[in-house]
Amino acid sequence: MFSGAQISLYPMTDRFVDVILSALPALDPYREKLRIETDDISTLIVGTPDIVFAAMRDLYVAGSADGIHAVLRATISRGCPGEPDDPMCHTEALTGPVLPLAERKASALEAVASAPVTGRHAAAQFSLYVMGTGDHMEEIYGCIDFLKNSGVFDRSKNFCTRVKGDAGAVFATIHEAFVRFGPPNGHVTIDLTISANSPSAV
């Protein structure tokens, strides 16, 4: 299994370099469990989904401090057949048989309910893509049902779903969508945009 994300942080300020550099220490607790590669467009973080999402969450929280309007963009993927297997990505969450959809939705809701509280508001939209399986729409509809009961559901939009709330619950919800829906070792991707402190929301 290979899992990870290509992420980019965009602080909407002329101090964007300082904001990004000051946010990077938020990744320090995870560096031993991640492979991190950065270029001039994005940063690749490779590891188990729980670590990848925790790292994205903490980077987002740090990068949006002091009321700065900041956006985190991410393409998140697991099980891509074009990527090599990576031992650092192995996790029990992505092994074993496919559990009944109702059981997976219940487990996802329990995980969101126990998410850490960050004190930072997040507004996000994302699209879930379940690939290589004939019943992909059943999985997506199951995920949508979970989202509507997650406590952070805002509304459905064309091509995506919008969620909002504390960043802890928002990232936990998207993590659960990523790991609970689609075959455990199948190819699943998420396209994510998450925004903090947008003046458009006022």
Side-chain angles (χ1 to χ4, degrees):
M1 174 68 71
F2 185 94
S3 65
Q6 288 279 4
I7 63 173
S8 300
L9 179 66
Y10 301 108
M12 309 300 175
T13 171
D14 56 5
R15 299 186 296 106
F16 65 92
V17 173
D18 290 339
V19 172
I20 292 171
L21 291 178
S22 66
L24 289 178
L27 297 178
D28 289 349
Y30 309 104
R31 289 187 183 275
E32 291 186 3
K33 297 181 179 180
L34 292 172
R35 175 159 56 88
I36 303 174
E37 300 174 8
T38 298
D39 61 24
D40 58 334
I41 297 177
S42 64
T43 294
L44 171 69
I45 54 176
V46 175
T48 59
D50 58 332
I51 299 298
V52 167
F53 275 85
M56 287 194 295
R57 178 199 63 216
D58 291 356
L59 180 67
Y60 167 85
V61 168
S64 60
D66 301 323
I68 293 169
H69 180 203
V71 172
L72 186 139
R73 281 280 300 130
T75 301
I76 312 158
S77 178
R78 65 172 172 90
C80 177
E83 299 288 354
D85 183 50
D86 192 322
M88 76 182 315
C89 300
H90 290 181
T91 173
E92 290 184 12
L94 297 176
T95 58
V98 179
L99 298 175
L101 197 53
E103 186 174 331
R104 286 183 277 141
K105 287 190 284 186
S107 296
L109 290 172
E110 288 178 10
V112 172
S114 63
V117 176
T118 67
R120 181 83 69 246
H121 184 79
Q125 64 182 33
F126 74 100
S127 303
L128 174 73
Y129 300 98
V130 177
M131 292 176 266
T133 177
D135 58 354
H136 70 283
M137 287 310 301
E138 181 182 3
E139 294 293 316
I140 291 172
Y141 288 138
C143 181
I144 291 171
D145 185 55
F146 150 65
L147 294 173
K148 288 181 176 179
N149 292 283
S150 65
V152 297
F153 178 79
D154 185 9
R155 64 183 185 271
S156 296
K157 299 176 64 177
N158 290 97
F159 321 124
C160 62
T161 298
R162 179 182 166 114
V163 293
K164 65 179 182 179
D166 184 86
V170 167
F171 275 94
T173 298
I174 300 168
H175 169 266
E176 293 303 306
F178 184 65
V179 299
R180 301 282 184 187
F181 301 94
N185 58 355
H187 188 194
V188 173
T189 66
I190 282 181
D191 181 64
L192 169 67
T193 301
I194 185 162
S195 174
N197 310 313
S198 172
S200 301
V202 177

